[in-house]
Each structure stands twice: as structure tokens, then as C-alpha cells.
């Protein structure tokens, strides 16, 4: 079985980044590793900073619902949260999400 | 070793005689506090969970088990206090922490409301100020050439920026004594604890006063905690405890972590070269320091009343379990070359120095921004950082805190 999934980030400046993300890694880690602008992860994935904000543009299957704490933390994002906003430290790479497209909201 | 537990306490005998190995070592003995890594290895290698016979509690030093014990509130609770002593019993002199040492449902509500006050948006707004102050104090150090990285740099920086960020007033001459007492009180009531109590007792009334509403900076986060208590968001009387949490958590461990990073960078040319080449990864230098020499050595939970299965063993109900972050953060099952400081390592943020799960340090973002500002200023302004001590660095004798005595450095 393939050990990675393909994920694309649409950046605020119009560019995009596509990367192979190892299964089990969080999409915040993956974005930081591939220098996706605007995904920062200041708290290291502790659900404490809201700097890994992304908007789900297209997903092969619906993502699991955000936890109550993630919902609360979405109030602290720099760009206003949208209905399909997520904190990407809370999304793990699983085979079903192969082909996921995320947008990084602009400032 | 099992013999030590077969007398006196029948429950202890039972706990020790199951499949759980008994460890008769003292994590709080002076020589272990000076160098804990032999104890930590013995703890990890004895089993995934052991019975610490000296203190009649369970203990774990392995990464996976530590992570689970921190975060699974169907088996482990904070309600008996996160120190070694049981806060529900009168002999424990520790005051209950109204954020942490409560039922899970209460914690979730309180923490959510606290995060609105200690908000990431607000924390971010302080970064420019941290940077400005860090640049200024590091420039002074570079001018000096030789300095004490702890007393001349990290301590003054944190004592300056943290109180203003959270809106409290401190007495810089005495505030760190409060931490000495707290981090000793999290362990046993031994000589270290008694000596700290004696040293700190004269200042306790001052500390109590400094947590009160009238000591809060108008408009600051501390003042808002009191306002929200008055508005009924928090239970009456809890704001005082929340402010005490800021005093407990905002100084000692941050200071120890940043000084630890400076020590490691000053002694390891490869790590220093990596940071000079990758200044944008400055937080990795901090995270790796927290993993490598964890400031907060050990925290505790209590098993649920009915007991639980854990790591292949049956744990009795209502028993403390000591979670040694210090050992888990060097568990070779998780960390290749665990004893080595390597800011370029994979999964560098996954250490347990801030805890794990719902109770993970509520102030970690401010600590990270402070560390980022100060370490970035050092990495930018200093070409060569060297340890200037004549002997091995020494750590203070505090039960649950690993913190340097001093940090002689040279900067060029």
C-alpha cells in the first residue's frame, strides 16, 4: 500500500504547493516541512495558537468533525474563519484523504 | 526489592506483587537530583509501569505510556493533585489549582473561558515587543563579551516581559522564590522541601497579596480573570487561583528551558552551526532543549476509583502515578540517540515537557514566543557562542525542577 497521500495547498498569493505526506503525519507538520506560506504552527500542534489555519477546498471524503476545542480555537485565527475552516494540526494524513486540496486564507 | 513493600501497607504489597515490577530507588535523593539520568533509565527499563515503593505510587518513564497517562481521563485524573502528595488529604499543604486539579468537565469549561482571556491573538500582539526587548538585552551581552546567560540575560528578560504580558505586578527580588517552593512541594516533604519552606515562608504573605485583584494591571489579562469571576463566568474565589497559576507557571520553567537551549548551543558546535544556517527554526532549538533536559521533571495523576488496565497490568483505584517527563523525553523507543541535543531531529515538537492532552500547559504559547524572541536575537547577533564554565554545569537541588545554578557564556 502507498505510504503517502498527495495533498495540495492553494496559497494566498495564487501559487500552490503539492506534496506527498507520509501517513500519520499532521497536515500542519507537512505544510511546515514544505514551507507552505501562511501555515506556521507556532504551538507545535498543541491546539493552542491557531496559526495553522486552512480552509478545506475539496476532500475525497468528509473530514471528521472538529473537536469542541478546535472549534473554540478557530475564533483566534488571523484571517476570519470560514464554514469549512480547520486547524491543520488536527488533520492526520490517512489513505482516504488522498487528493485533498486545502486553501491557506490570506491576511 | 519487593520485600521493602511487604510490610506495613497491605495494599502496597498487593500492588507490588502483581506483574508490576517494584523499584526501590529514590528519584528525589540528592545525587539523583544532581544527575537523574541513571534513575530515569532504571525506571524505563524496569517496565512500562512500575511500583515506586519509597513513595507508594505507580510510576512510568516510557514515552507512549506517559503520553497515555497524561491524556486518558477515562483512567487517570488530576483531582488528587498533580504533585506527589494527595491534595484531598490534610497533610498535603498544597493549594488546589482551580484550573487543573478538578473534574474533566469542569476543566474543559474553565479552560475554554481562560483561553478567551489568554488568547493567542493577544499573545501574538506582544511578539514585536518581545523582539525589541530581546534585541536590546542581547546587544548588551555581546558588548560585555562574557556574561552569565542565566542571571544577566534569561532571568531579567522573562521577569521583564512575562508580568507585563499577562498584566501582573511582581517583586523581581523575590518572585523566583515562589517557584522554588512550588517545585519542591510537587515532590515529597523531604529536606529540600523543608528548607525551601523555611527560606520562602517570610515572603508568603507578600505572594498572597500579589495574587489579589488590586495587584493586577488595569486592562490586563489578570484583571480580566477577576472581571470574569465577578461576571459569573468563573466560580467565586477561583480568579485568585488562576493568577497563582500564572506565577507558578510563567517563570521558572521558561527560564530553565531557554537557559537550557543556550547551554546546549554553547557546547555543541554542530547544533550551533545548524541554528546559524536555519534561523527560522529557532523554536526547534527551544523544543529540543525541553526534550533533552526537561525543566519540569515529573507530574502526577490518580487512577480512577475503580482501578484500570494499563500497559498490560492491573492498576489499583485511587493511587497516584508519577509520570516522569524527564525519562519519557529520553526514551530510546521514541527518540533515536536520545541523549544527544539535536535541534534538527524529526518530531522535535512531540516531547512531553508541556504535558500532553487536555491539560497541556495553558501558557505554552507565551513561553514559546518569549523563547523565540530571545534565542533568535542570540542567533542573529552572536557569531560564536561558547560555554565559559570551568567545570560541568551544575543544577539546583529542587525536587521537581531541573534548573541551572548559573550559565557562564562567552559571545563573539
Amino acid at each position: 500500500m502507498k505510504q503517502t497521500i498527495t495533498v495540495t495547498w492553494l496559497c494566498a498569493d495564487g501559487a500552490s504547493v503539492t506534496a506527498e505526506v507520509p501517513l500519520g503525519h499532521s497536515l500542519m507538520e507537512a505544510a511546515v516541512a514544505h514551507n507552505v506560506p501562511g501555515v506556521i504552527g507556532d504551538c507545535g500542534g498543541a491546539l493552542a495558537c491557531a496559526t495553522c489555519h486552512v480552509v478545506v477546498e475539496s476532500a475525497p471524503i468528509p473530514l471528521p468533525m472538529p473537536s469542541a476545542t478546535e472549534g473554540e480555537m478557530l475564533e483566534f485565527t488571523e484571517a476570519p474563519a470560514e464554514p469549512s475552516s480547520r486547524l491543520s494540526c488536527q488533520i492526520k494524513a490517512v489513505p482516504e484523504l488522498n487528493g485533498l486540496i486545502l486553501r491557506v486564507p490570506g491576511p | 526489592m519487593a520485600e521493602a513493600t511487604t510490610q506495613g501497607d497491605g495494599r502496597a504489597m498487593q500492588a507490588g506483587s502483581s506483574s508490576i515490577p517494584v523499584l526501590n530507588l529514590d528519584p528525589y535523593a540528592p545525587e539523583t537530583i544532581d544527575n537523574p539520568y541513571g534513575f530515569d533509565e532504571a525506571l524505563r527499563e524496569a517496565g512500562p509501569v512500575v511500583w515506586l515503593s519509597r513513595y507508594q505510587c505507580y510510576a512510568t518513564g516510557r514515552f507512549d505510556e506517559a503520553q497515555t497517562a497524561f491524556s486518558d481521563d477515562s483512567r487517570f485524573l488530576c483531582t488528587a493533585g498533580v504533585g506527589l502528595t494527595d491534595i484531598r488529604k490534610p497533610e498535603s499543604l498544597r493549594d488546589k489549582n482551580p484550573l487543573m486539579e478538578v473534574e474533566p468537565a469542569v476543566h474543559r469549561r474553565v479552560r475554554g473561558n481562560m483561553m478567551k482571556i489568554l488568547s493567542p491573538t493577544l499573545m501574538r500582539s506582544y511578539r514585536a515587543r518581545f523582539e525589541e526587548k530581546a534585541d536590546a538585552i542581547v546587544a548588551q551581552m555581546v558588548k560585555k563579551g562574557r556574561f552569565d546567560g542565566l542571571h544577566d540575560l534569561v532571568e531579567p528578560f522573562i521577569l521583564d516581559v512575562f508580568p507585563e504580558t499577562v498584566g501582573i505586578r511582581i517583586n523581581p527580588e523575590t518572585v523566583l522564590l515562589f517557584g522554588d517552593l512550588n517545585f519542591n512541594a510537587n515532590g515529597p516533604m523531604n529536606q529540600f522541601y523543608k528548607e525551601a519552606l523555611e527560606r520562602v515562608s517570610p515572603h508568603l504573605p507578600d505572594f498572597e497579596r500579589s495574587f489579589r485583584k488590586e495587584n493586577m494591571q488595569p486592562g490586563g489579562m489578570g484583571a480580566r480573570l477577576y472581571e470574569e469571576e465577578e461576571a459569573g463566568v468563573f466560580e467565586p474565589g477561583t480568579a485568585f487561583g488562576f493568577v497563582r497559576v500564572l506565577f507558578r507557571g510563567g517563570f521558572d520553567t521558561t527560564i530553565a528551558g531557554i537557559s537550557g537551549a543556550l547551554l546546549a548551543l554553547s557546547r555543541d558546535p554542530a547544533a550551533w552551526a545548524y541554528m546559524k544556517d536555519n534561523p527560522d527554526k529557532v523554536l526547534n532549538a527551544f523544543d529540543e532543549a525541553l526534550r533533552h533536559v526537561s525543566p519540569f521533571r515529573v507530574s502526577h495523576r490518580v487512577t480512577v476509583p475503580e482501578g484500570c488496565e494499563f500497559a498490560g497490568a492491573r492498576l489499583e483505584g485511587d493511587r497516584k502515578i508519577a509520570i516522569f517527563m524527564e525519562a519519557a523525553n529520553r526514551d530510546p523507543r521514541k527518540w533515536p540517540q536520545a541523549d544527544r541535543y539535536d535541534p534538527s531531529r524529526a518530531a522535535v515538537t512531540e516531547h512531553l515537557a508541556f504535558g500532553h492532552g487536555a491539560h497541556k500547559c495553558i501558557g505554552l504559547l507565551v513561553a514559546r514566543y518569549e523563547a523565540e524572541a530571545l534565542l533568535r536575537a542570540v542567533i542573529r547577533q552572536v557569531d560564536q557562542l561558547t560555554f565559559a564554565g570551568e567545570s560541568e554545569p551544575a543544577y539546583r537541588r529542587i525536587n521537581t525542577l531541573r534548573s541551572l545554578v548559573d550559565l557562564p557564556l562567552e559571545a563573539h
Side-chain angles (χ1 to χ4, degrees):
Chain A
M1 201 181 78
K2 202 168 151 225
Q3 290 306 302
T4 60
I5 60 168
T6 308
V7 177
T8 298
W9 287 267
L10 308 175
C11 309
D13 63 0
S16 74
V17 176
T18 298
E20 291 299 305
V21 180
L23 297 180
H25 283 212
S26 85
L27 298 190
M28 178 277 283
E29 282 175 274
V32 171
H34 291 92
N35 300 310
V36 175
V39 180
I40 300 161
D42 276 331
C43 75
L47 212 43
C49 72
T51 63
C52 62
H53 177 203
V54 295
V55 180
V56 179
E57 280 289 307
S58 155
I61 58 156
L63 268 68
M65 286 293 286
S67 68
T69 312
E70 185 183 338
E72 285 171 18
M73 289 306 295
L74 279 165
E75 290 172 31
F76 304 118
T77 53
E78 205 138 311
E82 303 176 23
S84 53
S85 279
R86 294 298 305 264
L87 296 178
S88 54
C89 69
Q90 301 302 302
I91 310 174
K92 294 257 183 250
V94 291
E96 296 76 13
L97 290 180
N98 188 35
L100 181 67
I101 300 173
L102 303 171
R103 176 164 53 83
V104 184
Chain B
M1 282 206 290
E3 268 172 300
T5 64
T6 54
Q7 289 162 12
D9 186 345
R11 289 180 71 195
M13 182 182 71
Q14 200 188 345
S17 64
S18 68
S19 61
I20 298 173
V22 175
L23 199 64
N24 188 26
L25 298 174
D26 185 358
Y28 307 104
E31 58 279 11
T32 305
I33 288 188
D34 291 343
N35 182 356
Y37 300 110
F39 165 81
D40 292 336
E41 187 177 358
L43 169 66
R44 275 192 309 264
E45 299 318 313
V49 58
V50 308
W51 179 250
L52 209 53
S53 56
R54 296 272 180 126
Y55 297 105
Q56 299 287 294
C57 67
Y58 298 109
T60 183
R62 291 194 190 171
F63 185 86
D64 286 349
E65 283 75 12
Q67 207 174 32
T68 304
F70 267 133
S71 55
D72 183 352
D73 66 14
S74 73
R75 288 183 280 178
F76 303 101
L77 298 169
C78 292
T79 44
V82 295
L84 175 63
T85 55
D86 189 331
I87 56 164
R88 299 165 302 178
K89 295 181 179 152
E91 62 269 25
S92 169
L93 301 171
R94 290 191 57 232
D95 298 305
K96 177 169 150 177
N97 168 340
L99 167 64
M100 190 169 197
E101 294 169 340
V102 292
E103 302 289 333
V106 177
H107 170 256
R108 269 191 289 279
R109 180 166 46 79
V110 170
R111 186 173 170 117
N113 287 324
M114 251 182 120
M115 279 305 277
K116 293 197 178 100
I117 297 172
L118 311 178
S119 103
T121 315
L122 215 48
M123 295 294 179
R124 277 200 290 276
S125 72
Y126 281 92
R127 287 171 94 180
R129 188 153 180 74
F130 290 175
E131 203 162 306
E132 197 180 297
K133 291 193 168 197
D135 282 339
I137 193 169
V138 170
Q140 284 174 33
M141 296 303 116
V142 173
K143 215 164 159 189
K144 276 177 136 174
R146 195 176 169 130
F147 59 96
D148 182 335
L150 178 64
H151 298 106
D152 300 339
L153 177 60
V154 182
E155 267 180 20
F157 177 71
I158 296 299
L159 294 188
D160 179 22
V161 302
F162 183 75
E164 111 180 339
T165 304
V166 299
I168 55 178
R169 293 194 188 93
I170 60 156
N171 176 350
E173 302 297 322
T174 58
V175 68
L176 295 177
L177 284 171
F178 186 63
D180 285 9
L181 181 60
N182 269 305
F183 286 95
N184 274 306
N186 282 334
M189 290 177 171
N190 58 7
Q191 204 53 35
F192 297 131
Y193 167 75
K194 287 178 192 143
E195 285 164 11
L197 187 60
E198 211 165 287
R199 265 196 318 273
V200 181
S201 280
H203 306 288
L204 283 178
D206 266 350
F207 286 129
E208 295 284 309
R209 271 194 293 278
S210 61
F211 307 148
R212 286 196 205 141
K213 189 182 168 191
E214 57 268 28
N215 193 48
M216 302 298 111
Q217 297 283 7
M221 298 179 197
R224 284 210 48 210
L225 290 168
Y226 275 99
E227 284 158 19
E228 293 293 82
E229 178 187 301
E230 276 155 32
V233 171
F234 299 121
E235 293 291 306
T238 50
F240 182 87
F242 298 146
V243 171
R244 195 173 51 209
V245 169
L246 299 177
F247 275 80
R248 274 183 183 167
F251 297 101
D252 311 82
T253 44
T254 317
I255 290 168
I258 303 174
S259 345
L262 290 175
L263 172 67
L265 293 172
S266 72
R267 300 222 299 169
D268 186 334
W272 176 253
Y274 175 80
M275 292 321 306
K276 287 295 281 185
D277 290 345
N278 297 278
D280 55 322
K281 303 226 185 282
V282 61
L283 274 171
N284 291 19
F286 183 54
D287 274 313
E288 177 63 353
L290 297 176
R291 182 200 69 80
H292 185 241
V293 178
S294 305
F296 192 16
R297 297 180 63 206
V298 52
S299 185
H300 298 76
R301 295 288 185 269
V302 69
T303 55
V304 290
E306 63 275 22
C308 62
E309 298 296 322
F310 180 61
R314 176 84 205 157
L315 305 192
E316 285 187 11
D318 208 30
R319 285 288 191 177
K320 281 271 171 118
I321 176 165
I323 308 168
F324 280 85
M325 294 89 103
E326 173 187 83
N329 283 338
R330 288 196 184 202
D331 183 353
R333 294 159 189 81
K334 165 75 180 171
W335 311 100
Q337 293 193 286
D339 293 338
R340 196 173 149 225
Y341 177 82
D342 176 9
S344 71
R345 73 167 61 242
V348 71
T349 60
E350 290 178 16
H351 61 79
L352 303 176
F354 291 117
H356 183 72
H359 292 280
K360 194 161 180 171
C361 174
I362 193 162
L364 68 86
L365 197 60
V366 62
R368 295 176 77 80
Y369 287 153
E370 288 165 342
E372 179 185 49
L374 198 61
L375 293 172
R376 181 179 282 154
V378 170
I379 291 162
R380 268 193 199 148
Q381 293 186 39
V382 177
D383 289 327
Q384 213 159 18
L385 184 73
T386 27
F387 180 65
E390 279 158 21
S391 50
E392 279 294 291
Y395 289 84
R396 299 181 59 204
R397 284 183 167 175
I398 298 176
N399 278 326
T400 66
L401 180 74
R402 197 144 172 81
S403 168
L404 287 163
V405 172
D406 57 16
L407 177 55
L409 292 176
E410 244 176 70
H412 296 290

